[in-house]
Amino acid sequence: MGEQTQVQAKPETQTPPQPQPQPNSDSTLVSNSPVDLPPNPSNPSKIPIRPQKIRKLSSLPSSKTPQTTASSATPVSTKSRRKSTPKSSSRVLPQIIKPLSADGEIDNALLHLRSADPLLGSLIDTLPVPQFESHNSPFLALSKSILYQQLAYKAGTSIYTRFVSLCGEEDAVCPDIVLSLSAQQLKQIGVSGRKASYLYDLANKYKNGILCDDALVKMDDKSLFTMLSMVKGIGPWSVHMFMIFSLHRPDVLPVSDLGVRKGVQLLYGLEELPRLSQMEQLCEKWRPYRSAGAWYMWRFVEGKGTPTTAAAAIDAGNVQPLQQIQTGQETQQHQLQLLEPINGIGNLGY
């Protein structure tokens, strides 16, 4: 009985190892397999499948994230652009709403020029206050500017008077009336064929809607300069004169005007006429009232008073753009530009 119990006890002790080593030949492997078996069934499933799933999932958010960021970035940029436009327009509006002819603007201009430039301030005290008055439409002013080009004041006035009479009166001068005039009619009153083509081009741009008086009045300085330069026969000098004496823009510096350059030379005691780049540098302190500073330069030159250095007539017919001047022809250019005293400012037609 005791042996039976021993025999029964032995299989009880052997029974736990029997289910584990089913392959009896590899007992050593069976003893090691409990350590290797848990990773082995999991590795084949993880290696081919799970890394691929992880890669696919990881690629999807990575491709989505730049799209979301890009889509979120674009509306921000557009909003910022939309917000920037009213800021730029707000900077331009004061120049248009408050021209030099507005109440108090001349006083503000003189106060600024006196404090910014003592030399100009002492000159201001000896000269009258600038006056800017406008009664004519921009179209009439531009037409007059074309008619006066490269002519003495009296010759330009004579042709302009006949032109107005041909149209009916100053108030009747409009694009349709100008286009109704033939080149032969304009030639009979002294308008050359080239100037007639300039008048037609101006009138056509008005009729096609490219230009109009209301838009020119509200346009900022840069846009105005660009649009008017598209008209045949209207160059930088004519645009500057139009901006100063028709629209009364406060911050226009006609660097190509010989009278303004001569005034700057006299004011600062320069040995030679300042170059265009020097004009910008020397007159930078006059901002934002460089138009008034230019007006005093014309007056200053007038006060020096000789036939060749008299004041530049501030009329579209008496001053040529400096770009057309040859260095050896400076004396002749003085004679063309400086034919009329500055008291002709009231006859500018602007």
Coordinates of all heavy atoms in Angstrom, one line a residue, residues 163-214:
F163 N -9.0 128.9 -78.6 CA -9.5 127.5 -78.4 C -10.8 127.6 -77.6 O -11.7 126.9 -77.9 CB -8.4 126.7 -77.6 CG -8.9 125.4 -77.2 CD1 -9.0 124.3 -78.1 CD2 -9.2 125.1 -75.8 CE1 -9.4 123.1 -77.6 CE2 -9.6 123.9 -75.4 CZ -9.7 122.9 -76.3
V164 N -10.8 128.4 -76.5 CA -12.0 128.5 -75.7 C -13.2 129.1 -76.6 O -14.3 128.6 -76.5 CB -11.8 129.3 -74.5 CG1 -13.1 129.6 -73.7 CG2 -10.8 128.6 -73.5
S165 N -12.9 130.0 -77.4 CA -13.9 130.6 -78.2 C -14.4 129.6 -79.2 O -15.6 129.6 -79.5 CB -13.3 131.8 -79.0 OG -14.2 132.4 -79.8
L166 N -13.5 128.7 -79.7 CA -13.9 127.7 -80.7 C -14.8 126.7 -80.0 O -15.8 126.2 -80.7 CB -12.7 127.0 -81.3 CG -12.9 126.0 -82.4 CD1 -13.5 126.7 -83.6 CD2 -11.6 125.3 -82.8
C167 N -14.6 126.4 -78.8 CA -15.4 125.5 -78.0 C -16.7 126.1 -77.6 O -17.7 125.4 -77.2 CB -14.7 124.9 -76.8 SG -13.2 123.9 -77.3
G168 N -16.8 127.4 -77.5 CA -18.0 128.1 -77.0 C -17.6 129.0 -75.8 O -17.8 130.2 -75.9
E169 N -17.2 128.4 -74.7 CA -16.7 129.1 -73.5 C -15.9 128.1 -72.7 O -15.9 126.9 -73.0 CB -17.9 129.7 -72.8 CG -18.9 128.7 -72.4 CD -20.1 129.3 -71.7 OE1 -20.1 130.6 -71.5 OE2 -21.0 128.6 -71.3
E170 N -15.3 128.6 -71.6 CA -14.5 127.7 -70.7 C -15.4 126.6 -70.2 O -15.0 125.4 -70.1 CB -13.8 128.4 -69.6 CG -12.6 129.2 -70.1 CD -11.8 129.7 -68.9 OE1 -12.4 130.0 -67.8 OE2 -10.6 130.0 -69.1
D171 N -16.6 126.9 -69.7 CA -17.5 125.9 -69.1 C -17.9 124.8 -70.1 O -18.3 123.7 -69.8 CB -18.7 126.5 -68.5 CG -18.3 127.4 -67.3 OD1 -17.2 127.2 -66.7 OD2 -19.1 128.3 -66.9
A172 N -17.8 125.2 -71.4 CA -18.3 124.2 -72.5 C -17.2 123.3 -72.9 O -17.5 122.3 -73.6 CB -18.8 125.0 -73.7
V173 N -15.9 123.5 -72.5 CA -14.8 122.7 -72.9 C -15.0 121.3 -72.2 O -15.0 121.2 -71.0 CB -13.5 123.3 -72.6 CG1 -12.4 122.3 -73.0 CG2 -13.3 124.6 -73.3
C174 N -15.2 120.3 -73.0 CA -15.4 118.9 -72.5 C -14.9 117.9 -73.5 O -14.6 118.3 -74.7 CB -16.9 118.7 -72.2 SG -18.0 118.7 -73.6
P175 N -14.8 116.7 -73.2 CA -14.2 115.7 -74.2 C -15.0 115.6 -75.5 O -14.4 115.5 -76.6 CB -14.3 114.4 -73.4 CG -14.2 114.8 -72.0 CD -14.9 116.1 -71.9
D176 N -16.3 115.6 -75.4 CA -17.1 115.5 -76.6 C -16.9 116.7 -77.6 O -16.8 116.6 -78.8 CB -18.6 115.4 -76.3 CG -18.9 114.1 -75.6 OD1 -18.2 113.1 -75.9 OD2 -19.9 114.0 -74.9
I177 N -16.8 117.9 -77.0 CA -16.6 119.1 -77.8 C -15.2 119.0 -78.5 O -15.1 119.4 -79.7 CB -16.7 120.4 -77.0 CG1 -18.2 120.5 -76.5 CG2 -16.3 121.6 -77.7 CD1 -19.2 120.7 -77.6
V178 N -14.2 118.6 -77.7 CA -12.9 118.6 -78.3 C -12.8 117.5 -79.4 O -12.2 117.8 -80.4 CB -11.8 118.2 -77.2 CG1 -10.5 117.9 -77.8 CG2 -11.8 119.4 -76.2
L179 N -13.5 116.4 -79.2 CA -13.4 115.4 -80.3 C -14.2 115.8 -81.5 O -14.0 115.3 -82.6 CB -14.0 114.1 -79.7 CG -13.2 113.4 -78.7 CD1 -13.9 112.2 -78.1 CD2 -11.8 112.9 -79.3
S180 N -15.2 116.7 -81.3 CA -15.9 117.2 -82.5 C -15.1 118.2 -83.3 O -15.5 118.5 -84.5 CB -17.2 117.9 -82.0 OG -17.0 119.1 -81.3
L181 N -14.0 118.7 -82.8 CA -13.2 119.7 -83.6 C -12.3 118.9 -84.5 O -11.7 117.9 -84.1 CB -12.4 120.6 -82.6 CG -13.2 121.4 -81.6 CD1 -12.3 122.1 -80.7 CD2 -14.1 122.4 -82.3
S182 N -12.2 119.4 -85.7 CA -11.2 118.8 -86.7 C -9.8 119.3 -86.5 O -9.6 120.4 -85.9 CB -11.7 119.0 -88.1 OG -11.6 120.4 -88.4
A183 N -8.9 118.5 -87.0 CA -7.5 119.0 -86.9 C -7.3 120.3 -87.7 O -6.4 121.1 -87.3 CB -6.6 117.9 -87.4
Q184 N -8.0 120.5 -88.7 CA -7.9 121.7 -89.5 C -8.4 122.9 -88.7 O -7.8 124.0 -88.8 CB -8.7 121.6 -90.8 CG -8.6 122.8 -91.8 CD -7.2 123.0 -92.3 OE1 -6.4 122.0 -92.4 NE2 -6.9 124.2 -92.6
Q185 N -9.5 122.7 -88.0 CA -10.0 123.8 -87.1 C -9.0 124.2 -86.1 O -8.8 125.4 -85.8 CB -11.3 123.4 -86.5 CG -12.5 123.3 -87.4 CD -13.8 122.9 -86.7 OE1 -13.8 121.7 -86.2 NE2 -14.8 123.7 -86.7
L186 N -8.4 123.2 -85.4 CA -7.4 123.5 -84.4 C -6.1 124.1 -85.1 O -5.5 125.0 -84.4 CB -7.0 122.2 -83.7 CG -8.1 121.6 -82.9 CD1 -7.6 120.2 -82.3 CD2 -8.5 122.5 -81.7
K187 N -5.8 123.7 -86.3 CA -4.6 124.3 -86.9 C -4.9 125.8 -87.2 O -3.9 126.6 -87.1 CB -4.3 123.5 -88.2 CG -3.1 124.0 -88.9 CD -2.8 123.1 -90.2 CE -1.5 123.6 -90.9 NZ -1.3 122.8 -92.1
Q188 N -6.1 126.1 -87.6 CA -6.4 127.5 -87.9 C -6.2 128.5 -86.7 O -6.0 129.6 -86.9 CB -7.8 127.6 -88.4 CG -8.0 127.0 -89.8 CD -9.4 127.0 -90.3 OE1 -10.3 127.4 -89.6 NE2 -9.6 126.6 -91.6
I189 N -6.4 128.0 -85.5 CA -6.2 128.8 -84.3 C -4.8 128.7 -83.7 O -4.5 129.2 -82.6 CB -7.2 128.5 -83.2 CG1 -7.1 127.0 -82.7 CG2 -8.6 128.7 -83.7 CD1 -7.9 126.7 -81.5
G190 N -3.9 128.0 -84.4 CA -2.5 127.9 -84.0 C -2.1 126.7 -83.3 O -1.0 126.6 -82.8
V191 N -3.0 125.7 -83.2 CA -2.6 124.4 -82.5 C -2.0 123.5 -83.5 O -2.5 123.2 -84.6 CB -3.9 123.7 -81.9 CG1 -3.5 122.4 -81.2 CG2 -4.6 124.7 -80.9
S192 N -0.8 123.0 -83.2 CA 0.0 122.2 -84.1 C -0.7 120.8 -84.2 O -1.5 120.4 -83.3 CB 1.4 122.0 -83.7 OG 1.4 121.3 -82.4
G193 N -0.4 120.0 -85.2 CA -0.9 118.7 -85.4 C -0.6 117.8 -84.3 O -1.4 116.9 -83.8
R194 N 0.6 117.9 -83.7 CA 1.0 117.1 -82.6 C 0.2 117.4 -81.3 O -0.3 116.5 -80.6 CB 2.5 117.3 -82.3 CG 3.0 116.3 -81.2 CD 4.5 116.4 -81.1 NE 5.0 117.8 -80.8 CZ 6.2 118.2 -80.6 NH1 7.2 117.3 -80.8 NH2 6.5 119.4 -80.3
K195 N 0.0 118.7 -81.1 CA -0.8 119.1 -79.9 C -2.2 118.7 -80.1 O -2.9 118.3 -79.1 CB -0.6 120.6 -79.6 CG 0.7 121.0 -79.0 CD 0.7 122.4 -78.6 CE 2.0 122.8 -78.0 NZ 2.0 124.2 -77.6
A196 N -2.7 118.7 -81.3 CA -4.1 118.3 -81.6 C -4.2 116.8 -81.2 O -5.2 116.4 -80.7 CB -4.4 118.5 -83.0
S197 N -3.2 116.0 -81.6 CA -3.3 114.6 -81.2 C -3.3 114.4 -79.7 O -3.9 113.4 -79.2 CB -2.1 113.8 -81.9 OG -0.9 114.2 -81.3
Y198 N -2.5 115.2 -79.0 CA -2.5 115.2 -77.6 C -3.9 115.4 -77.0 O -4.4 114.8 -76.1 CB -1.5 116.1 -77.0 CG -0.1 115.9 -77.3 CD1 0.9 116.9 -77.2 CD2 0.3 114.7 -77.9 CE1 2.2 116.7 -77.5 CE2 1.7 114.4 -78.2 CZ 2.6 115.4 -78.0 OH 3.9 115.2 -78.4
L199 N -4.6 116.5 -77.5 CA -5.9 116.8 -77.1 C -6.9 115.7 -77.3 O -7.7 115.4 -76.5 CB -6.4 118.1 -77.7 CG -5.7 119.4 -77.3 CD1 -6.1 120.6 -78.2 CD2 -5.9 119.7 -75.8
Y200 N -6.8 115.1 -78.5 CA -7.7 114.0 -78.9 C -7.5 112.8 -77.9 O -8.4 112.1 -77.5 CB -7.5 113.6 -80.3 CG -7.9 114.6 -81.3 CD1 -7.2 114.7 -82.6 CD2 -9.0 115.5 -81.1 CE1 -7.6 115.6 -83.5 CE2 -9.4 116.4 -82.0 CZ -8.7 116.5 -83.2 OH -9.1 117.4 -84.2
D201 N -6.2 112.5 -77.6 CA -5.9 111.4 -76.8 C -6.5 111.6 -75.4 O -7.0 110.7 -74.7 CB -4.4 111.2 -76.7 CG -4.0 109.9 -75.9 OD1 -4.3 108.8 -76.4 OD2 -3.4 110.0 -74.8
L202 N -6.3 112.8 -74.8 CA -6.9 113.1 -73.5 C -8.4 113.0 -73.6 O -9.0 112.4 -72.7 CB -6.5 114.6 -73.2 CG -7.1 115.1 -71.9 CD1 -6.6 114.3 -70.6 CD2 -6.8 116.6 -71.7
A203 N -9.0 113.5 -74.6 CA -10.5 113.5 -74.7 C -11.0 112.0 -74.8 O -12.0 111.6 -74.2 CB -11.0 114.3 -75.9
N204 N -10.3 111.2 -75.6 CA -10.7 109.8 -75.7 C -10.5 109.0 -74.4 O -11.4 108.1 -74.2 CB -9.8 109.1 -76.8 CG -10.3 109.4 -78.2 OD1 -11.5 109.4 -78.5 ND2 -9.4 109.7 -79.1
K205 N -9.5 109.3 -73.7 CA -9.4 108.6 -72.4 C -10.5 109.0 -71.4 O -10.9 108.2 -70.6 CB -8.0 108.9 -71.8 CG -6.9 108.1 -72.4 CD -5.5 108.3 -71.8 CE -4.5 107.3 -72.3 NZ -4.4 107.3 -73.8
Y206 N -10.9 110.2 -71.5 CA -12.1 110.6 -70.7 C -13.4 109.9 -71.2 O -14.2 109.4 -70.4 CB -12.3 112.1 -70.8 CG -11.7 112.9 -69.6 CD1 -10.3 113.1 -69.6 CD2 -12.5 113.4 -68.6 CE1 -9.8 113.8 -68.5 CE2 -11.9 114.0 -67.5 CZ -10.6 114.3 -67.5 OH -10.0 115.0 -66.4
K207 N -13.5 109.9 -72.5 CA -14.8 109.3 -73.1 C -14.8 107.8 -72.9 O -15.9 107.2 -72.6 CB -14.8 109.6 -74.6 CG -16.1 109.2 -75.2 CD -16.2 109.6 -76.7 CE -17.6 109.3 -77.3 NZ -17.7 109.7 -78.7
N208 N -13.7 107.1 -72.9 CA -13.6 105.7 -72.6 C -13.7 105.3 -71.1 O -13.7 104.1 -70.8 CB -12.4 105.1 -73.2 CG -12.3 105.2 -74.7 OD1 -13.4 105.3 -75.4 ND2 -11.1 105.3 -75.3
G209 N -13.7 106.3 -70.3 CA -13.8 106.0 -68.8 C -12.5 105.8 -68.2 O -12.5 105.4 -67.0
I210 N -11.4 105.9 -68.9 CA -10.1 105.7 -68.2 C -9.8 106.8 -67.2 O -9.3 106.6 -66.2 CB -9.0 105.6 -69.3 CG1 -9.3 104.4 -70.2 CG2 -7.6 105.4 -68.6 CD1 -8.3 104.3 -71.4
L211 N -10.2 108.0 -67.6 CA -10.0 109.2 -66.7 C -11.4 109.8 -66.6 O -12.3 109.8 -67.4 CB -9.0 110.2 -67.3 CG -7.6 109.7 -67.6 CD1 -6.8 110.8 -68.3 CD2 -7.0 109.3 -66.2
C212 N -11.6 110.5 -65.4 CA -12.7 111.4 -65.2 C -12.3 112.4 -64.1 O -11.4 112.1 -63.3 CB -14.0 110.6 -64.9 SG -13.9 109.8 -63.3
D213 N -13.0 113.5 -64.1 CA -12.7 114.5 -63.1 C -12.8 114.1 -61.7 O -11.9 114.3 -60.9 CB -13.6 115.8 -63.4 CG -13.2 116.5 -64.6 OD1 -12.1 116.2 -65.2 OD2 -13.9 117.4 -65.1
D214 N -13.9 113.4 -61.4 CA -14.1 112.9 -60.0 C -13.0 112.0 -59.6 O -12.5 112.0 -58.4 CB -15.5 112.3 -59.9 CG -16.6 113.3 -60.0 OD1 -16.4 114.5 -59.8 OD2 -17.7 112.8 -60.4

